[in-house]
């Protein structure tokens, strides 16, 4: 089984949402994701890319978005995801691993997720 998910987001849209609702960041992102973004010049750019990854993974898995069940973690070869809860259960049931790719510019952030069967 192979499945793909993709998502695109206007960065300023997320910035405005985070300004209006200060607790939104805690609901959408793990502590490690927030810390990673906070260490960057424009944190919302990095949070937007991570939100897109969460959406893309959810789409690829065929699940509703549960943002804290898909955590983007830095790696030696680029970012990867750590799944928990229903997202981890679904990936295990399907026998798949998840690969992601993130990108962002001045205005937009995007991510793609690819599910690939183990073995």
């Amino acid at each position: 089984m192979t499945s793909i998910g993709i998502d695109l987001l206007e960065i300023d849209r997320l910035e405005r949402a985070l300004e209006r609702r200060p607790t939104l960041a805690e609901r959408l992102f793990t502590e490690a994701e927030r810390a990673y973004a906070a260490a960057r010049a424009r944190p919302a750019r990095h949070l937007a890319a991570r939100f897109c990854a969460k959406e893309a993974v959810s789409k690829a898995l065929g699940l509703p978005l549960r943002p804290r069940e898909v955590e983007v973690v830095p790696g030696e070869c680029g970012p990867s995801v750590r799944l928990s809860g229903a997202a981890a259960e679904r990936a295990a049931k399907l026998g798949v691993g998840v690969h992601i790719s993130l990108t962002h510019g001045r205005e937009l952030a995007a991510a793609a997720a690819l599910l690939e069967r183990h073995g």
Side-chain angles (χ1 to χ4, degrees):
M1 179 228 183
T2 303
S3 182
I4 299 171
I6 188 168
D7 196 59
L8 177 71
L9 177 64
E10 294 172 356
I11 297 166
D12 66 343
R13 184 174 170 206
L14 180 65
E15 280 178 319
R16 289 190 310 269
L18 293 171
E19 288 171 8
R20 284 191 313 269
R21 297 189 305 243
T23 61
L24 182 61
E26 288 83 23
R27 289 195 353 245
L28 296 178
F29 304 101
T30 66
E31 185 176 334
E33 289 171 322
R34 294 190 313 271
Y36 177 90
R40 304 305 186 267
R42 188 174 175 200
R45 179 182 294 169
H46 300 275
L47 291 176
R50 278 150 182 73
F51 184 79
C52 288
K54 294 167 184 284
E55 283 275 16
V57 170
S58 295
K59 290 173 183 177
L61 289 170
L63 291 174
L65 178 64
R66 294 180 176 133
R68 294 193 46 118
E69 291 185 2
V70 179
E71 180 181 22
V72 178
V73 295
E76 290 182 25
C77 298
S80 62
V81 292
R82 180 180 302 131
L83 304 177
S84 61
E89 291 171 15
R90 177 80 169 154
K93 180 180 178 183
L94 296 172
V96 296
V98 181
H99 306 281
I100 61 168
S101 180
L102 312 178
T103 191
H104 52 71
R106 290 178 185 236
E107 298 178 11
L108 298 171
L114 172 69
L115 304 186
E116 184 175 42
R117 185 170 296 284
H118 295 297

